[in-house]
Amino acid sequence: MLTELEEKLDGLEWEEARAAAAEYIGLPGPLPAPALRRAMVEDRYCLVLLAFRGNLPRLQELVNHPDNRAYELPEDLTPTAATANRSTPGLVIEAGKALNRWATAGFRTVDPETYERRTAACAGCPELTEPPVKWVYKVIMATASDDRVCGACGCVASRKARLVTERCPRRDPSRPELSRWGDPFAA
């Protein structure tokens, strides 16, 4: 972590550090835990946060960046908070990437058995939640029969489960080498 921010957080408890870091860079509310962890180990990321101090749209994009998921711990966010804190542009970008992967694969969908297995796993997952009130979900779910959202990635679970190119972002608690969908886990 760069000395400038490290000095501001020295001696603080974790929650105090999240609040102090957010205040220092001009972010309302505490800095998400994964973003602070990343800033602590990646000087370049920390420098970018400091460079955009006071630029709320850019800071929101940075603290909600998908690369921060590598620094998440299960206790960081509740499912509803996870999806509510994702920025709309970030969700649109991730949906565009998923659409591109799907198009590259020839718009193939999984067989009915795989879809049933995936949706059953999602239905039993503690991260499945009602969607936040954001226009992007209204567009994506225009014809969805089940509009619940994955708290881990922000995707509409019933839509994502159909796509042959998509993976569950969480490990199976009983078999960590597999995702909750039963596929080999890819970090």
Side-chain angles (χ1 to χ4, degrees):
M1 180 186 297
L2 295 173
T3 309
E4 182 178 352
L5 187 57
E6 194 170 15
E7 289 173 357
K8 296 284 183 194
L9 307 182
D10 188 42
L12 298 178
E13 296 293 324
W14 181 247
E15 293 304 318
E16 293 172 327
R18 290 179 57 209
E23 183 179 331
Y24 187 65
I25 63 173
L27 192 67
L31 186 65
L36 182 55
R37 280 191 203 96
R38 184 176 179 194
M40 292 169 69
V41 298
E42 289 185 25
D43 284 346
R44 184 172 182 195
Y45 178 74
C46 186
L47 184 62
V48 172
L49 284 175
L50 294 172
F52 285 101
R53 193 176 330 165
N55 183 338
L56 189 56
R58 185 66 175 126
L59 286 172
Q60 290 285 358
E61 184 179 316
L62 288 167
V63 300
N64 294 312
H65 194 277
D67 289 351
N68 294 351
R69 290 187 202 138
Y71 299 90
E72 282 182 359
L73 296 177
E75 65 270 13
D76 286 339
L77 295 171
T78 61
T80 53
T83 52
N85 288 337
R86 285 191 166 69
S87 69
T88 299
L91 288 167
V92 171
I93 288 168
E94 290 306 308
K97 288 177 183 177
L99 180 60
N100 186 47
R101 286 189 298 271
W102 188 41
T104 301
F107 297 104
R108 292 182 304 130
T109 57
V110 297
D111 58 78
E113 294 80 24
T114 301
Y115 179 71
E116 288 301 318
R117 177 177 45 85
R118 287 178 171 190
T119 55
C122 290
C125 181
E127 297 205 49
L128 190 64
T129 185
E130 294 301 316
V133 179
K134 291 188 177 198
W135 69 264
V136 68
Y137 286 110
K138 301 237 183 276
V139 171
I140 292 171
M141 297 179 308
T143 60
S145 58
D146 183 355
D147 63 354
R148 292 177 295 170
V149 174
C150 174
C153 65
C155 294
V156 177
S158 64
R159 300 270 176 147
K160 182 174 185 165
R162 282 200 189 281
L163 307 182
V164 74
T165 53
E166 296 306 298
R167 302 285 176 257
C168 175
R170 291 292 189 240
R171 293 182 189 275
D172 183 323
S174 61
R175 298 176 297 169
E177 71 280 4
L178 300 177
S179 73
R180 290 183 183 262
W181 285 353
D183 301 320
F185 189 79

